[in-house]
Amino acid sequence: MQKQSNMPYAIEVQNIVKTFGPVIATNQVSFKVKKGEIHALLGENGAGKSTLMSILYGLYRPDSGILKIDGEVVSFKSPKEAAQKSIGMVHQNFQLVSTLTAFDNILMGLPESWWRGRNWRFKKVKEIESLAKEYGLSFEVERAVWQMSHGEKQRVEIFKALYRQSDIIILDEPTSVLTPQESDDLYRTLKKLKETGKTIVLTTHKLREVMHACDHISIMRKGKMVASMPSSETNERDLARKLMGEMPVEVRRIEKSESSTKPSKNLLELQEICAKGLHGEQALNDLSLFVYPGEIVGVAGVAGNGQKQLAEIITGMQNPTSGGIKFKGKWINHSSIKGMIDIGIAHVPEDRLHTGMAGSLDAVDNLLMKDYKKEKHSNLGIMKHSRNLDWAKSIINNYDVTTPSANYPVRLLSGGNQQKLLLAREIEGDPALLVANHPTQGLDVGATASVHNLLLDMRSRDRGVLLISEDLDEILKISDRILVIYQGMITGEFEPSKATREEIGLYMTGSKTQFNVGALA
Amino acid sequence: MRPLYIAGKKISIEKDPISTKTPWWMTVIAVVLALVFCAGFMLLNGNNPITVFSKMFSGAFGSLYGLSETLLKAIPLMLCGLGVAIAYRISVWNIGAEGQFVMGAIAATSITIYYPGMGAFSSITLMLLAGFIAGALWALLVAICRSYFDVNEVICSLMLNYIAILFLSFLVFEPWKDPNGFNFPGTAIFSSSQKLPALDDLRLHLGFLIALAAILLYAVLVKFTHWGYQLRLLSANANAARYAGMNVKRQIIIVLMISGGLAGIAGMVEVSGVTHRLSQGVTSGYGYTAIIVAWLARLNPIGIVISSILCGAVIVGGYSVQLIGLPASMALMIQGAILFFVIGGEVFSQYRIRVETISPKKNEQTSSSKVEVL
C-alpha cells in the first residue's frame, strides 16, 4: 500500500463485471499488475481469464468497473485504443497472415512510409533483425508465416507487439501450442523482456511453469478472483488446491452394488494410441487404457490435453496414427464412424449443437439420426412417418424431455433438454459402450443429475462408460476409476474414494506423473 | 456496429440469434424492390416504367402464344434450377449447370447423329438417358475434385462451363457440322422422331411435363425417403451427419451427379424440343439464370416452378419491350437485380433493429423494447 502512491501499477482493474446474456463471465474482479513483472493468471477453462484479458485489450467493454493503465483511468472502445496505451496482445490463435512473411506481418498497417522500395525494405529488414536479436527473439524475418513452427510464429507475434512500442504485453495461453523446449525458450525470452522494463501478463493452467518463471500469480475460479500472491509465497500444491477449489460438502459418491466383482474380460482396450491434433501436433502420445463392462471410467484433465482426440478415436471420427483398438476382444483395424456405431459404441460429443444434433431439425429427426435405416423406422427406403412420430413421443416422455412438441426445432430447447434428447438417442440403441465427452457442460443442477442417472443406469445394466470431463466433482462423484490425461498421456490412475482433488490437480497440471499406470495393469 | 443515439433512444443493429429462416414475404419484397430499382433506370432512359412493365407483362402472359413462350423458357429453368437447388441444399455451390446443360445437349445430339432412324419412343428415351448421364459425368468431375482434393466447387464447376462451351463450338464447327447447312455452324435438323412432341401451332412441348415430373419426384423423395432424410440432416448440420455415420463424401458425389444430370436433361429437352439441332447458342444462359431461380424459390420445389415461370416471363417480356426501343437485355438487368435483392434480403433478415429508451442514468436501460424489422 505504501508503495502504491509513488509507483502506480501498470495495470489496475477494479471490480470489473462482464456478463454475456445470463452468464457472468467476470464477477467483481480486481487485479493488479506491477510494472516490470511477469504476472501469471491461472484458472481452469471458463474461469474468466480470457474475458479479463480481452477487456484489458479493448476487445470487450466491461459492464461496470474501473480499468487503470499506469494509474490513469481508461476506457477502451477498441483494441486500437489499447494499442495506443502501449498494450500489446499475443492471442492464443495467432493473428498472422500465413501467406505473408514475418516482415510483412510486422509492418502491416503501420504508417511507416507509403513508398516501400527496395532500399527501404533492405534497411527495415536489417533493423528488425537487429532489434529481434536485442530482445532475444529469433525468427527468419523473410520467411512466410505458414512455413514457421508454432514457437517461431509466437515470437513473430511478440515482436510485432514490441515493434508497436508496447510496454505491457498480454499473452493468452502462450504455452498451449508449444513443445516443452519451446516453452522454456519462451520463458527465457519473457525474462529478458522483463529486464528491459516490459510488463508481462500471461494466462495459463500449467502450474509448474508458473512457479519457476513468474513473479506474481493470480488465480481465478468461476468468474471470481480467488487469490493473488507473489510466487515466492506459494507452492504447486497450494496452487492446485486454490485452482480446483475446496471439496464441496455435497459431493457424495454413489457406490457400486457389492456384487461387483471385476469381470474377467475388458470391453474396450486402447494400446499405445498416437494421434494428431487439429494443427498436426501430437495430441495423443502412446495412450493406453481399458474399460470393463459395468464401470464408469472417468478421464480427468485440463482442456486440450487430447480428450477430444481420445473420444474421436474410440468413436471412429478420427484414425490413430499408430496403436491398436480392441473392442469386445476383437481388434479393429480400419475404424469408421458407421462401423463403430454398428458394433455398439455410442458417443455424446463435446459440442451438442455442433456435432451431436442438427439444431434446425425437430426431435423426431434428431432421434432418428443413427437409426433411420433400421426396419423399425423405415421400410425399403421409405420412412415410417407416423410410427416414428409416436416412437419419438414415447422417448420424449420416458426421458422427461420438456418440449412444446416433437416437431419443435431442438435448437430452441434448453441445453439440458437437448442433452437429454441426445443421451436418449445414444442409450436407446442399448450400446455396449458410451463415450461421453463433457456431458454436463453448461447444464443446470437438475439436468446434470438426470444425465448422471442415465450414465449410472448404463453401468447397472453392465455397459461400459468412458466419461471425459473437466469437472472434477462430476468425475469424483460417479466414476469407478479415475484416469488423468495430460499432454495426450494417461499420467495417473486413482480410486475415487482414495483420491483427493489436490492430488488429482497436480497430475492434471503436469506436476506429477505415475509412469507405470494407464497401460495394462 | 456502433449504435445510433436519436432523441433519447439507442438504436442498434444486432445479429438475431433466433432467426435462421427467412420469411417467404422477404422474397416478394425483394422482387418488388428489384423492379423499383430497375424502374429507376428506365426513368433515367426516358421511359415510363409502368408502360414498360405492363408491356412486358402482356408480352409474357397476354396471349396464348406469349404464355406458351413463357412456359417454354421455364422448362430448362425448372430443370436446371431444381438441379442446382438440390446441390445448394447441402451447401454445395454448383454453378456449373450451364456446362452440364451443354454436355447434356451434346450427348443427346450424339444419339441423333450416331443412331439415326430409331423409333420416336426409343430415340427420345435414349436421348434423355444420354443427356442425364453426360450432365452427371460432367458434374462428377466437380464432385471428385471437391470430395477428394478439397478443390472449391465454385471455381471448378465454373471453369468446366467454359470447357463444355468450347467443346460444343468445336463439334458444331467441325465434325458435326451439317454438310447441307450452308457452312452455318450447327448440326443437321433432327428428324421428327427425335423431336419432343409439341402442342399444335405452339412451341410448348413435352419437356414441360418432364420438368414437372422431375420436380414432383424430387419433392416426394425428399419428404418420404432415406435419401431425403439424409439430405435434410446434411443440410442442417454436416458435422452431425458425419457423426451419425453418414458417408458425407459419397453423398456429395451423388447429389452433384443428380444435380448435373438434371441440367443435362434440360440440355436434351432444349435441343430436342426447341432448337431441334445443336448450335452454338443453345444455352442462352439458362444454367446461370437457374441460380436465380433456385434462390428465388428458396430451394423449395413448388417455388422452383413459380420462379422459373417468373424468370421465363422476364425473358419473354424482355423481347416484347424491344418494340418500344429498349434492349432485350433489360431482362438480364431485372434478373440480376432480383438476385441481388433476394440475397441482400437474406442477409438483412438475420439482423434485428433494437430500439432502447435510455434513462438519464448511464448504462441502465429502464425500458427496452425490441422492434424486429425484416
Side-chain angles (χ1 to χ4, degrees):
Chain A
M1 273 304 197
Q2 56 270 53
K3 267 189 193 168
Q4 200 179 346
S5 49
N6 42 22
M7 171 88 175
Y9 286 100
I11 301 172
E12 191 175 352
V13 166
Q14 288 171 4
N15 302 328
I16 288 271
V17 178
K18 175 73 191 173
T19 56
F20 295 100
V23 182
I24 303 171
T26 62
N27 191 357
Q28 298 280 350
V29 166
S30 299
F31 174 60
K32 287 172 190 165
V33 180
K34 279 193 209 121
K35 253 188 190 151
E37 72 175 359
I38 301 180
H39 194 119
L41 186 57
L42 278 176
E44 292 186 276
N45 277 58
K49 294 173 297 188
S50 293
T51 309
L52 185 58
M53 293 299 111
S54 300
I55 288 171
L56 290 181
Y57 188 55
L59 224 50
Y60 296 147
R61 298 178 71 179
D63 298 342
S64 65
I66 297 169
L67 173 59
K68 285 185 193 170
I69 302 294
D70 291 333
E72 182 193 338
V73 177
V74 289
S75 161
F76 296 139
K77 290 193 188 68
S78 69
K80 201 172 168 185
E81 292 186 16
Q84 280 162 4
K85 286 281 170 201
S86 62
I87 295 179
M89 176 132 178
V90 177
H91 293 266
Q92 192 174 0
N93 311 314
F94 303 130
Q95 313 282 306
L96 297 170
V97 180
S98 60
T99 48
L100 296 183
T101 61
F103 177 84
D104 291 324
N105 270 291
I106 289 163
L107 290 173
M108 200 186 312
L110 287 183
E112 289 264 337
S113 147
W114 65 271
W115 179 253
R116 302 187 164 193
R118 268 187 62 191
N119 266 335
W120 172 86
R121 199 182 161 97
F122 186 72
K123 255 192 273 172
K124 273 287 162 195
V125 170
K126 282 270 166 284
E127 183 195 320
I128 289 173
E129 275 173 353
S130 68
L131 207 56
K133 198 175 267 172
E134 212 173 289
Y135 286 126
L137 292 160
S138 67
F139 57 88
E140 202 70 49
V141 179
E142 303 218 68
R143 182 184 287 172
V145 166
W146 62 269
Q147 293 175 315
M148 293 181 168
S149 70
H150 284 296
E152 203 169 5
K153 281 183 202 165
Q154 192 173 50
R155 291 194 286 275
V156 174
E157 277 269 33
I158 295 172
F159 185 83
K160 206 174 132 188
L162 291 170
Y163 194 76
R164 283 162 167 69
Q165 251 101 49
S166 304
D167 288 329
I168 300 169
I169 295 178
I170 302 170
L171 298 109
D172 193 14
E173 301 279 352
T175 54
S176 63
V177 290
L178 301 185
T179 63
Q181 286 87 348
E182 282 178 325
S183 299
D184 290 346
D185 287 346
L186 170 70
Y187 282 111
R188 256 197 299 281
T189 309
L190 293 182
K191 277 191 175 147
K192 212 164 192 171
L193 290 179
K194 176 185 140 186
E195 280 157 23
T196 64
K198 308 280 180 194
T199 307
I200 288 149
V201 181
L202 57 95
T203 68
T204 182
H205 41 233
K206 296 183 184 168
L207 297 183
R208 226 194 355 216
E209 301 172 357
V210 169
M211 278 309 295
H212 67 242
C214 302
D215 304 316
H216 202 97
I217 299 166
S218 296
I219 299 176
M220 285 186 82
R221 197 173 65 236
K222 295 186 175 154
K224 285 191 175 151
M225 190 65 75
V226 292
S228 183
M229 63 257 148
S231 54
S232 53
E233 288 173 16
T234 181
N235 56 47
E236 279 180 47
R237 202 162 274 274
D238 181 44
L239 285 178
R241 198 171 56 238
K242 289 192 167 113
L243 195 62
M244 297 295 153
E246 305 301 327
M247 178 88 105
V249 201
E250 255 313 293
V251 175
R252 203 181 63 241
R253 288 223 351 103
I254 300 151
E255 289 303 333
K256 250 174 151 177
S257 54
E258 63 284 351
S259 65
S260 61
T261 45
K262 231 177 196 181
S264 51
K265 264 189 187 164
N266 58 29
L267 184 64
L268 171 81
E269 186 174 331
L270 298 187
Q271 273 188 13
E272 293 172 3
I273 294 281
C274 290
K276 295 258 184 265
L278 204 59
H279 305 292
E281 74 276 12
Q282 193 75 13
L284 293 182
N285 229 328
D286 283 340
L287 181 141
S288 301
L289 61 78
F290 52 83
V291 179
Y292 285 106
E295 74 167 350
I296 298 178
V297 177
V299 177
V302 175
N305 274 298
Q307 290 98 323
K308 188 180 162 69
Q309 285 74 21
L310 176 62
E312 292 202 336
I313 279 186
I314 300 172
T315 53
M317 295 186 76
Q318 187 184 344
N319 284 316
T321 49
S322 69
I325 307 169
K326 209 173 180 180
F327 187 71
K328 287 181 177 166
K330 272 191 204 138
W331 289 103
I332 295 163
N333 295 326
H334 291 286
S335 61
S336 70
I337 300 169
K338 187 92 184 57
M340 292 307 209
I341 293 171
D342 289 343
I343 59 173
I345 298 180
H347 182 198
V348 177
E350 186 172 12
D351 196 333
R352 283 187 285 284
L353 283 185
H354 182 257
T355 321
M357 322 194 93
S360 56
L361 300 186
D362 60 18
V364 186
D365 280 345
N366 272 294
L367 286 170
L368 281 171
M369 229 157 94
K370 287 184 174 175
D371 290 336
Y372 63 95
K373 278 189 178 160
K374 291 206 177 124
E375 209 183 321
K376 195 173 150 197
H377 303 299
S378 63
N379 192 9
L380 299 171
I382 311 285
M383 309 281 284
K384 294 176 177 169
H385 262 283
S386 58
R387 189 186 291 193
N388 290 340
L389 182 64
D390 291 340
W391 171 75
K393 277 180 183 159
S394 72
I395 288 185
I396 287 171
N397 246 329
N398 293 345
Y399 288 84
D400 203 18
V401 180
T402 315
T403 169
S405 88
N407 294 112
Y408 195 66
V410 298
R411 177 171 52 93
L412 302 176
L413 301 180
S414 73
N417 283 311
Q418 288 171 358
Q419 193 72 332
K420 276 192 228 168
L421 211 55
L422 202 162
L423 267 158
R425 179 185 70 213
E426 296 303 308
I427 292 172
E428 200 53 22
D430 195 21
L433 176 74
L434 176 71
V435 179
N437 202 353
H438 304 314
T440 56
Q441 200 172 36
L443 302 191
D444 60 26
V445 184
T448 301
S450 27
V451 168
H452 286 166
N453 284 332
L454 289 172
L455 297 183
L456 291 167
D457 275 355
M458 292 260 319
R459 180 178 77 173
S460 55
R461 279 185 286 125
D462 237 17
R463 310 292 180 227
V465 176
L466 188 72
L467 169 66
I468 300 171
S469 178
E470 276 170 67
D471 185 349
L472 205 48
D473 291 339
E474 169 174 271
I475 286 191
L476 282 166
K477 190 171 168 188
I478 66 170
S479 323
D480 301 308
R481 201 146 55 84
I482 297 174
L483 302 175
V484 177
I485 190 168
Y486 176 73
Q487 293 196 340
M489 284 176 285
I490 300 294
T491 54
E493 176 169 352
F494 300 92
E495 258 188 60
S497 51
K498 291 176 192 152
T500 64
R501 303 168 56 76
E502 183 190 315
E503 189 72 10
I504 294 175
L506 287 173
Y507 283 85
M508 278 168 70
T509 49
S511 301
K512 267 183 140 184
T513 53
Q514 317 167 338
F515 281 111
N516 54 339
V517 291
L520 311 156
Chain B
M1 210 179 284
R2 192 165 290 193
L4 213 67
Y5 294 92
I6 300 169
K9 291 210 159 76
K10 180 185 172 193
I11 300 170
S12 52
I13 296 174
E14 60 185 14
K15 201 148 189 178
D16 191 339
I18 299 199
S19 140
T20 51
K21 263 196 187 142
T22 318
W24 63 271
W25 45 264
M26 273 296 304
T27 315
V28 178
I29 291 180
V31 171
V32 171
L33 282 176
L35 293 182
V36 171
F37 174 79
C38 293
F41 279 93
M42 291 170 194
L43 277 173
L44 284 177
N45 283 306
N47 287 297
N48 183 352
I50 295 173
T51 335
V52 175
F53 284 135
S54 62
K55 197 106 198 162
M56 284 180 81
F57 186 81
S58 64
F61 298 109
S63 63
L64 194 60
Y65 174 77
L67 189 64
S68 137
E69 284 298 294
T70 298
L71 296 181
L72 188 76
K73 296 284 178 202
I75 296 167
L77 292 179
M78 275 194 262
L79 285 163
C80 292
L82 178 65
V84 294
I86 294 174
Y88 293 171
R89 255 198 89 117
I90 61 163
S91 302
V92 174
W93 309 111
N94 174 21
I95 53 170
E98 187 84 353
Q100 291 140 14
F101 179 103
V102 168
M103 292 315 281
I106 290 173
T109 309
S110 75
I111 300 286
T112 69
I113 287 174
Y114 298 114
Y115 301 96
M118 276 190 297
F121 180 77
S122 47
S123 70
I124 293 289
T125 315
L126 216 58
M127 282 165 80
L128 270 175
L129 209 64
F132 181 86
I133 292 172
L137 289 178
W138 205 241
L140 179 65
L141 292 178
V142 182
I144 289 171
C145 291
R146 151 90 196 228
S147 278
Y148 295 104
F149 303 105
D150 246 349
V151 176
N152 184 324
E153 75 276 13
V154 171
I155 293 167
C156 193
S157 58
L158 182 65
M159 292 300 133
L160 280 171
N161 287 350
Y162 298 110
I163 297 175
I165 290 166
L166 289 172
F167 182 53
L168 168 74
S169 295
F170 162 72
L171 289 175
V172 297
F173 272 104
E174 274 302 325
W176 287 3
K177 189 158 72 178
D178 181 11
N180 313 317
F182 308 105
N183 224 16
F184 178 77
T187 62
I189 298 281
F190 293 178
S191 69
S192 59
S193 66
Q194 292 154 346
K195 292 179 189 170
L196 281 172
L199 291 174
D200 289 341
D201 304 330
L202 293 172
R203 293 210 294 164
L204 187 62
H205 54 80
L206 189 67
F208 190 66
L209 294 182
I210 295 176
L212 284 182
I215 286 175
L216 189 70
L217 183 67
Y218 169 70
V220 170
L221 285 179
V222 160
K223 191 135 177 60
F224 297 108
T225 65
H226 274 170
W227 183 64
Y229 177 76
Q230 289 168 345
L231 280 194
R232 211 160 351 131
L233 187 58
L234 197 54
S235 67
N237 185 347
N239 288 320
R242 194 175 101 81
Y243 156 83
M246 192 191 295
N247 189 336
V248 175
K249 281 181 182 169
R250 197 177 62 195
Q251 193 62 247
I252 287 175
I253 290 174
I254 292 172
V255 165
L256 259 174
M257 286 184 75
I258 292 174
S259 171
L262 285 166
I265 289 184
M268 176 272 165
V269 162
E270 191 67 9
V271 286
S272 164
V274 183
T275 61
H276 298 149
R277 67 175 341 151
L278 189 66
S279 60
Q280 257 193 310
V282 70
T283 70
S284 18
Y286 291 127
Y288 296 119
T289 311
I291 299 169
I292 302 173
V293 167
W295 274 117
L296 207 52
R298 309 201 157 282
L299 316 183
N300 173 315
I302 299 165
I304 288 172
V305 178
I306 297 171
S307 62
S308 301
I309 293 173
L310 180 75
C311 282
V314 170
I315 297 171
V316 174
Y319 295 143
S320 59
V321 293
Q322 280 174 306
L323 296 174
I324 53 171
L326 280 170
S329 52
M330 184 61 111
L332 289 179
M333 186 177 92
I334 295 176
Q335 282 173 0
I338 288 176
L339 182 63
F340 185 79
F341 278 90
V342 166
I343 291 178
E346 194 99 346
V347 174
F348 277 121
S349 67
Q350 286 167 12
Y351 289 83
R352 61 184 177 192
I353 294 176
R354 186 184 174 126
V355 181
E356 287 163 320
T357 315
I358 302 171
S359 71
K361 232 174 159 191
K362 216 183 152 191
N363 275 338
E364 234 179 79
Q365 286 108 23
T366 40
S367 72
S368 85
S369 57
K370 275 179 213 164
V371 185
E372 277 194 41
V373 185
L374 297 180

